[in-house]
Amino acid sequence: MYFADFPPGAGRLEPRAALRSDAPSLDLTGDWRFRLSSVADLPDDFAAPSFDDSAWDVLAVPSHWPLHGHGAPAYTNVVYPFPVDPPRVPDENPTGDYRCVFDLPEGWSGGRLRFEGVDSTFKVWLNGHELGFSTGSRLPAEFDAGPYLVEGANVLAVRVHQWSAASYLEDQDMWWLPGIFREVELTRSSADLFVRAAADGTLSFEGEGLLSIPELGVADLAPGTEVQVAAEPWSAEHPRLYEASFVTAEETVRLRVGFRTITVEDGVLRANGVPLVFKGVNRHEFHPDHGRAVPYETMVEDVLLMKRHNVNAVRTSHYPPHPAFLDLCDEYGLWVVDECDLETHGFGQTAWRGNPTDDPRWTQALLDRMRRMVERDKNHPSVVMWSLGNEAGVGSNLKVMADWTRERDPSRPIHYEGDLSCANVDVYSRMYASHAEVEAIGRGEEDPLDDPELDARRRAMPFVQCEYAHAMGNGPGGLAEYQELFETYPRLAGGFIWEWIDHGLTHQEYGYAYGGDFGEPLHDANFVVDGLVFPDRTPSPGLLDLKKVFEPVRFAFDEGTVTVTRAVPYPLSFPWALTADGTVVAEGVLEVPESPGAEVKLPTLPEVAEPGELWLTVRAVLAADLPWAEAGHEVAWGQTKVGEGRREPVVTRGRAGADLAGATFDSRTGRLTGLFGLDVEGPRLELWRAPVDNERFGGLEWNWRTLGLHRLTHRIDSVSREDGVLTVRSRVAPAATDLGMSVTYRWSDVGEGIGLDVHVVPEGEWTLPLPRLGLSMTLPASFEEVVWFGRGPGEAYPDTGMAAAVGGWGASIEELQTPYVYPQENGQRADVRWARLTGGEGPGLRIEGEPVFGLTVRRWSTEELAAAGHLTDLRKGERVHVHLDHAQHGVGTAACGPGVLPRYELRAGEARFAFRFTAV
Ligand code: GAL
């Protein structure tokens, strides 16, 4: 059976470059007839032109059939959803038969049927004649249609199997989504060329035809001839392209040539001679409604979003993207690591027994994939590295792929992460290495390989993190610290965040579905939802932080001056603003010379009558429109505190005879029963938070729950009133352990408002970090709005929130929530000096902290948030839940990679903090 055998295809034409040709072509996308069967062993009768398909469904090409009511999507990360017994596959093998009738234009003869992407194996018939079959889901395949085309109506029949031998090679961490998911055309183009254009202006090409680049004075260049031209080099920051034409006897091809050179010199990766640091993301092709059949506008949206968030590189994890995406990368400027459609991760489950990467029976299939990628994408200046694949173990076939590639294209380094020996590659690549390990590699002090020769080779290589900072749920933490390393050690060529987008599929009941939501018996839950943008491509806080960390312009403030460094060639302007307690009191524009680094005097700031805390913020914005953003787009910002302001001490520890006007207490328990007439519950000590994905998958949640932090008990030990201070002593502890927190709450009249001073002393040996340390309280549901002076506008945790600036901010309670597809702790506003909650009946409440505090306000409890599996589980309740945190634990990236860095851990220790509550 062809679909359960080693050969990667039959009847196909040689692979060639994706090109824009003026040769006639017939777009065959559109509505095709479709029938789904549950098995693969079916008669071929449907391929006959006379076959009656009138009872079949209609299905759009391109698309995935499970997203159109035929079967269902399924998600697994590492494991194969079928028995590992290569090259065989189960009898239950969803098989889609497609039929398309097209009219041949008059005078048409010959041509190729070109399929851009079919998942996973397909066989093709034209007018009843079998043309062949192909594998390699994310790669084009062409068949010679010429001999079988007929005048008038032609019948194209395609049989697609979900499972095939090729499925063993396509075990990427993503939804299994079969179907003809990229375009199909009949084309009379057959041209192929390979342009070699270097940064020093040398130009030549291979191919049968003549090349012209009018702008550079190149006319009718013959293949194999090298010329020297005066071309500006192409780079991600300055993606200079030259329009070229390639003329053969049959057609004229238009292409855009970029001149650039990638080298490794002295262990440093360089582009056009300059050290190259990837500020990259891993991009899967994904759309919440269409899966990997990504509309063109969505590709443009991805590129624009990346550029606008200071991303300069993409790894096409883990397969070649739609060819149009690479055109966009050429045009807008993104460095690309183009990755072969190869992953055999599931063999890891069986100790890599039978791994195709190391089995000669699979050599042709693996080489076929590599060749087809290189041939398709070889003319893109944006593509600066070829990757042999992802997580495919080690083995002899890697060498075959690498040797062929090096021979065919010596101009690009080869990448593969899965073989630590780096025997076949040109760069040392790792995923999820800790900061400490990256630093050791940066210094050239990594642990040696056993083989001294290989070790010496690897030690001379530049280093990339092909995946780091797993962006699952709330996070990733630790971004800034990685970037600092990348910018410190020349050997470090940066890396690629895992990953660009959450693969949540649109779902009626759940909003966005993840693994298991379609009833898959074997799945990896929400591990597929780990992106920097939500499924609808709204940037998550993680992307906003990344933008800050990747800023190509930096501000270093000093007494009266700021040093501005910039690494991008485009014109910028530098508006500044002075704020007092978050309100703008003066504005201007800073004159900054265009040099890469300049020390500039800060503006003379006006005297401010009612000072408050004074902050000077300087922004770098585009001074003119660029293809990817308009003038005024913010590229970078920095701020510095220029005045402390006056802050009343929040708590004056009680005044004799004063009563606690505005607050009512239960005299027996000391529990606050009312505040300025508001019905309140709490505040009381809270240690628990709804675990974030990094805690769920990294093991910390389990430890926390075992300790019982989600079921704390509160015991009142004493209530006393003295000198106008109400003192409540309490012990907060989980059951079944002798660990606890002794908490003293002191309530006092502080002139304006009610003060609450909290003193926490841990008891016993606390070894685990705490989720949070702070107060929680609830208020009536009528509260709507929050205004605060602190960091914002977005959320921030100890190791995230680089995008959050000190200022005056406001949001509705709904807007304060970050809609992580899998509900978890979110939405904290950090370093809050004061906040005002208002809306509905009764007075508003102003809360001032000493020191600053973390503010979280939501319409559901922590328990409800922790229990929810989808956002649709969260409903507005009877109360507004408010957290006033002295501290929280960082979020790290332990779902995949290192946990919270020690400096961002929240360790149990004695703590004092205070709040003042006032009615407003
Ligand atoms: C890596 C893998 C990615 C993804 C990630 C976890 O090991 O290469 O495809 O699975 O882990 O999200």
Side-chain angles (χ1 to χ4, degrees):
M1 269 309 190
Y2 67 98
F3 60 83
D5 205 351
F6 301 102
R12 297 171 305 174
L13 295 163
E14 284 295 299
R16 61 187 185 111
L19 294 168
R20 273 180 302 146
S21 166
D22 70 349
S25 89
L26 213 54
D27 176 7
L28 299 180
T29 62
D31 286 343
W32 291 27
R33 286 283 178 179
F34 178 78
R35 169 185 71 182
L36 183 66
S37 308
S38 57
V39 294
D41 187 12
L42 301 161
D44 293 348
D45 56 347
F46 83 107
S50 57
F51 183 86
D52 178 7
D53 62 16
S54 57
W56 289 19
D57 278 322
V58 168
L59 180 67
V61 168
S63 75
H64 300 283
W65 70 66
L67 301 182
H68 293 267
H70 304 278
Y75 165 60
T76 57
N77 170 9
V78 175
V79 296
Y80 289 105
F82 46 79
V84 180
D85 182 23
R88 286 167 287 274
V89 293
D91 287 347
E92 300 77 28
N93 187 356
T95 293
D97 289 333
Y98 291 77
R99 281 171 54 94
C100 155
V101 181
F102 63 91
D103 278 327
L104 205 62
E106 255 180 56
W108 183 294
S109 74
R112 303 163 164 231
L113 278 164
R114 182 177 174 94
F115 294 81
E116 293 292 349
V118 182
D119 192 333
S120 70
T121 289
F122 67 109
K123 196 179 228 186
V124 184
W125 294 261
L126 181 62
N127 297 322
H129 302 277
E130 187 178 316
L131 301 187
F133 81 95
S134 189
T135 58
S137 298
R138 274 65 63 167
L139 287 162
E142 287 185 338
F143 299 90
D144 186 6
Y148 308 110
L149 285 169
V150 295
E151 268 178 42
N154 284 260
V155 180
L156 174 60
V158 184
R159 171 161 287 168
V160 183
H161 305 289
Q162 169 155 18
W163 305 125
S164 68
S167 305
Y168 288 99
L169 309 181
E170 296 177 1
D171 188 28
Q172 292 94 341
D173 175 5
M174 60 190 192
W175 294 99
W176 295 94
L177 288 173
I180 305 178
F181 74 100
R182 287 185 189 157
E183 294 80 355
V184 184
E185 65 171 347
L186 176 69
T187 174
R188 291 210 350 232
S189 171
S190 60
D192 190 18
L193 86 162
F194 189 177
V195 179
R196 298 171 197 260
D200 65 0
T202 51
L203 171 74
S204 66
F205 75 98
E206 282 169 46
E208 285 172 28
L210 299 173
L211 183 73
S212 300
I213 307 181
E215 197 184 341
L216 294 172
V218 177
D220 295 339
L221 184 67
T225 316
E226 186 173 288
V227 288
Q228 188 76 32
V229 294
E232 279 182 77
W234 185 99
S235 69
E237 293 73 38
H238 183 62
R240 182 68 162 96
L241 293 171
Y242 293 89
E243 291 291 334
S245 64
F246 173 63
V247 181
T248 74
E250 277 84 37
E251 61 191 295
T252 298
V253 161
R254 307 239 160 252
L255 68 158
R256 294 174 302 180
V257 175
F259 292 75
R260 58 112 196 84
T261 301
I262 302 299
T263 49
V264 174
E265 288 162 50
D266 300 331
V268 176
L269 185 70
R270 290 172 188 271
N272 308 332
V274 180
L276 175 52
V277 178
F278 293 125
K279 295 176 173 175
V281 294
N282 278 280
R283 175 182 180 268
H284 263 286
E285 305 214 288
F286 186 75
H287 186 284
D289 301 331
H290 309 296
R292 287 186 289 277
V294 176
Y296 181 72
E297 311 75 67
T298 308
M299 299 180 209
V300 176
E301 197 182 342
D302 275 351
V303 169
L304 293 180
L305 273 170
M306 288 175 192
K307 293 291 292 183
R308 289 173 189 164
H309 289 87
N310 297 332
V311 167
N312 76 1
V314 187
R315 172 176 178 236
T316 69
S317 54
H318 299 302
Y319 41 81
H322 190 285
F325 180 75
L326 296 179
D327 290 334
L328 293 167
C329 293
D330 290 346
E331 185 179 329
Y332 289 95
L334 287 166
W335 307 107
V336 176
V337 176
D338 199 1
E339 190 148 276
C340 187
D341 193 354
L342 172 65
E343 174 158 341
T344 64
H345 205 173
F347 284 87
Q349 305 292 303
T350 54
W352 296 100
R353 275 190 307 279
N355 182 16
T357 306
D358 199 27
D359 181 337
R361 292 173 302 171
W362 291 95
T363 307
Q364 284 317 311
L366 269 60
L367 182 59
D368 175 70
R369 284 163 186 260
M370 195 67 195
R371 279 188 65 206
R372 283 159 66 203
M373 171 176 77
V374 172
E375 294 300 349
R376 192 194 74 166
D377 298 339
K378 60 198 172 208
N379 293 313
H380 289 284
S382 57
V383 174
V384 290
M385 253 189 230
W386 300 118
S387 175
L388 304 178
N390 183 60
E391 298 183 321
V394 293
S396 54
N397 292 331
L398 294 175
K399 178 166 164 45
V400 178
M401 295 165 84
D403 285 353
W404 178 88
T405 305
R406 221 169 252 123
E407 169 88 28
R408 179 72 176 128
D409 178 17
S411 79
R412 292 174 173 104
I414 294 177
H415 169 272
Y416 176 63
E417 186 273 348
D419 181 357
L420 270 184
S421 80
C422 293
N424 301 297
V425 297
D426 303 305
V427 294
Y428 178 20
S429 175
R430 289 289 311 280
M431 48 173 79
Y432 310 109
S434 67
H435 297 81
E437 188 180 357
V438 171
E439 175 149 33
I441 296 171
R443 292 176 189 273
E445 292 168 2
E446 68 269 27
D447 290 342
L449 291 166
D450 291 342
D451 179 327
E453 212 172 297
L454 284 173
D455 184 62
R457 232 184 121 252
R458 195 179 73 174
R459 226 165 265 283
M461 289 179 181
F463 177 77
V464 297
Q465 278 247 75
C466 67
E467 294 178 27
Y468 75 105
H470 198 256
M472 185 177 194
N474 188 337
L479 282 176
E481 291 75 12
Y482 275 119
Q483 193 59 29
E484 216 176 290
L485 294 172
F486 297 154
E487 291 176 16
T488 304
Y489 298 101
R491 185 188 186 188
L492 305 181
F496 301 82
I497 305 289
W498 188 266
E499 71 174 305
W500 176 243
I501 187 165
D502 284 347
H503 309 210
L505 284 169
T506 305
H507 191 281
Q508 245 186 346
E509 184 183 345
Y510 299 137
Y512 291 117
Y514 49 78
D517 287 343
F518 297 100
E520 308 102 286
L522 189 64
H523 65 82
D524 288 292
N526 64 319
F527 217 64
V528 77
V529 177
D530 54 3
L532 292 166
V533 295
F534 296 119
D536 65 357
R537 288 184 160 72
T538 305
S540 78
L543 183 60
L544 303 181
D545 280 357
L546 192 69
K547 176 181 178 186
K548 180 83 186 111
V549 169
F550 279 176
E551 283 178 352
V553 179
R554 304 253 193 239
F555 300 95
F557 293 94
D558 208 338
E559 270 302 296
T561 63
V562 58
T563 303
V564 183
T565 44
R566 54 167 115 183
V568 279
Y570 25 84
L572 296 167
S573 75
F574 295 85
W576 60 264
L578 177 70
T579 53
D581 270 8
T583 306
V584 177
V585 290
E587 284 178 292
V589 175
L590 205 63
E591 288 305 322
V592 180
E594 272 195 19
S595 55
E599 194 183 273
V600 184
K601 250 177 73 78
L602 288 178
T604 317
L605 301 173
E607 284 292 316
V608 183
E610 279 286 318
E613 212 176 290
L614 294 178
W615 283 80
L616 177 69
T617 305
V618 185
R619 305 186 309 130
V621 303
L622 293 184
D625 290 353
L626 286 182
W628 48 269
E630 290 180 1
H633 164 80
E634 182 179 289
V635 171
W637 59 271
Q639 61 178 185
T640 184
K641 198 198 248 185
V642 290
E644 282 298 336
R646 278 185 292 116
R647 290 192 74 204
E648 300 278 336
V650 166
V651 173
T652 55
R653 299 257 147 65
R655 290 173 301 148
D659 62 356
L660 292 168
T664 54
F665 294 90
D666 178 312
S667 57
R668 212 164 41 81
T669 62
R671 191 168 58 82
L672 181 72
T673 50
L675 194 57
F676 315 120
L678 291 167
D679 165 22
V680 295
E681 283 167 17
R684 64 179 194 174
L685 190 81
E686 182 59 274
L687 303 178
W688 181 237
R689 72 180 182 195
V692 300
D693 283 323
N694 290 320
E695 291 147 3
R696 296 176 56 229
F697 288 87
L700 195 51
E701 173 179 12
W702 191 85
N703 290 331
W704 279 344
R705 285 190 188 272
T706 307
L707 179 59
L709 294 185
H710 61 304
R711 46 172 169 76
L712 294 175
T713 64
H714 296 251
R715 185 185 74 210
I716 303 297
D717 288 336
S718 70
V719 179
S720 61
R721 201 183 255 267
E722 205 179 312
D723 291 345
V725 178
L726 175 71
T727 303
V728 181
R729 290 181 204 283
S730 161
R731 188 170 188 278
V732 178
T737 164
D738 60 357
L739 299 185
M741 296 284 175
S742 143
V743 192
T744 309
Y745 305 94
R746 283 198 182 81
W747 292 94
S748 58
D749 181 311
V750 286
E752 204 184 311
I754 306 283
L756 170 60
D757 183 52
V758 185
H759 183 200
V760 183
V761 181
E763 293 176 351
E765 289 283 311
W766 287 82
T767 51
L768 290 178
L770 303 175
R772 68 171 4 126
L773 179 72
L775 301 181
S776 67
M777 64 192 291
T778 75
L779 297 172
S782 54
F783 280 91
E784 302 272 352
E785 301 287 331
V786 184
V787 167
W788 73 98
F789 175 46
R791 284 171 57 216
E795 71 180 29
Y797 289 81
D799 51 354
T800 67
M802 290 69 91
V806 176
W809 309 102
S812 68
I813 295 176
E814 283 63 35
E815 287 163 350
L816 288 174
Q817 315 307 313
T818 307
Y820 293 115
V821 169
Y822 191 93
Q824 56 197 281
E825 167 63 32
N826 73 85
Q828 168 177 261
R829 275 24 183 208
D831 297 341
V832 174
R833 284 74 165 160
W834 55 258
R836 214 166 49 226
L837 283 74
T838 53
E841 313 118 35
L845 191 62
R846 181 183 148 104
I847 306 170
E848 201 176 335
E850 190 179 277
V852 295
F853 63 100
L855 174 70
T856 309
V857 186
R858 36 174 93 100
R859 294 201 177 276
W860 34 81
S861 66
T862 295
E863 290 65 36
E864 287 164 330
L865 185 60
H870 295 90
L871 285 171
T872 46
D873 295 336
L874 295 171
R875 305 229 167 74
K876 176 174 172 175
E878 299 290 301
R879 307 288 296 169
V880 166
H881 300 257
V882 180
H883 289 274
L884 310 172
D885 283 311
H886 180 57
Q888 286 215 37
H889 186 54
V891 294
T893 61
C896 192
V900 174
L901 286 169
R903 76 189 89 152
Y904 301 122
E905 287 183 338
L906 174 56
R907 290 286 164 186
E910 184 177 352
R912 275 180 194 279
F913 47 94
F915 296 97
R916 178 214 306 263
F917 300 92
T918 2
V920 288

